[in-house]
Amino acid sequence: MIADVASCLTVSFGLFFFLAGTVGLLRFPDVHSRLHALTKADNLGLGFIVIAAAFQAADVWTVFKLLAVWLFTVAAAATAAQLVARAALSACQTEEPNR
């Protein structure tokens, strides 16, 4: 019963952060701000979802697998955001002399 309530609360927190990241994606003016909103909020939201799933896990090995998935996802998101930010920065630098 307590694990179910804790899972519901942490899923709610995770959904809130996913929603905040989506709002940031849609509302922020430039690529770098949007990337910041997506990577920070979505990774935190995923962390809360993983914690919620860990409360429902049958054994410790499953919890370690969930944490590994979250860590790999955080690493992949950071790498992808870095690549997109560099591409956007170089695109801005090449467009600037034409202004």
Side-chain angles (χ1 to χ4, degrees), residues 1-83:
M1 177 71 180
I2 292 175
D4 293 338
V5 172
S7 293
C8 286
L9 284 175
T10 52
V11 165
S12 298
F13 290 145
L15 291 177
F16 171 75
F17 281 105
F18 277 124
L19 180 66
T22 302
V23 169
L25 173 68
L26 296 175
R27 300 284 300 183
F28 285 163
D30 60 353
V31 172
H32 297 98
S33 299
R34 291 176 182 164
L35 280 174
H36 178 76
L38 273 182
T39 55
K40 300 290 183 191
D42 284 356
N43 286 332
L44 191 57
L46 180 62
F48 278 116
I49 299 293
V50 165
I51 290 170
F55 283 130
Q56 300 297 320
D59 56 357
V60 177
W61 183 240
T62 304
V63 173
F64 283 129
K65 288 180 189 176
L66 288 169
L67 289 175
V69 167
W70 181 53
L71 289 176
F72 288 133
T73 304
V74 167
T79 303
Q82 179 72 19
L83 292 174

